[in-house]
Amino acid sequence: MGMFDNLRDKATDAVDEHGDKVSEGVDKAGEFANEKTGGEHGDKIDQGTDFAKDRLDGLDGQDDDIQ
């Protein structure tokens, strides 16, 4: 098993166990970025947070971790 496989496995375990906290962190990061840009790029930031959540949710192949 390579280094990246090990990292992916750890990330998958973290999302499985703490998906709600990860989702909150992604949302807070998006809100922070939106504030710093004065809402100028809100649509792009929302797209980015949605994409990040989809990628994290796809780690274990299930759509139940990230809301």
Side-chain angles (χ1 to χ4, degrees):
M1 180 180 285
M3 178 179 71
F4 291 110
D5 292 329
N6 190 16
L7 260 170
R8 183 185 51 193
D9 291 343
K10 288 183 179 185
T12 300
D13 291 344
V15 170
D16 281 342
E17 293 178 30
H18 307 288
D20 56 335
K21 298 293 182 189
V22 173
S23 179
E24 287 177 23
V26 170
D27 287 336
K28 284 183 181 182
E31 290 170 10
F32 178 78
N34 197 33
E35 285 178 21
K36 290 298 179 181
T37 62
E40 189 174 328
H41 304 288
D43 291 341
K44 295 293 183 186
I45 292 169
D46 289 343
Q47 287 176 349
T49 56
D50 290 343
F51 180 79
K53 288 180 183 182
D54 288 344
R55 295 287 87 203
L56 287 167
D57 204 22
L59 281 174
D60 64 356
Q62 298 177 5
D63 290 331
D64 62 348
D65 298 320
I66 306 297
Q67 303 297 324

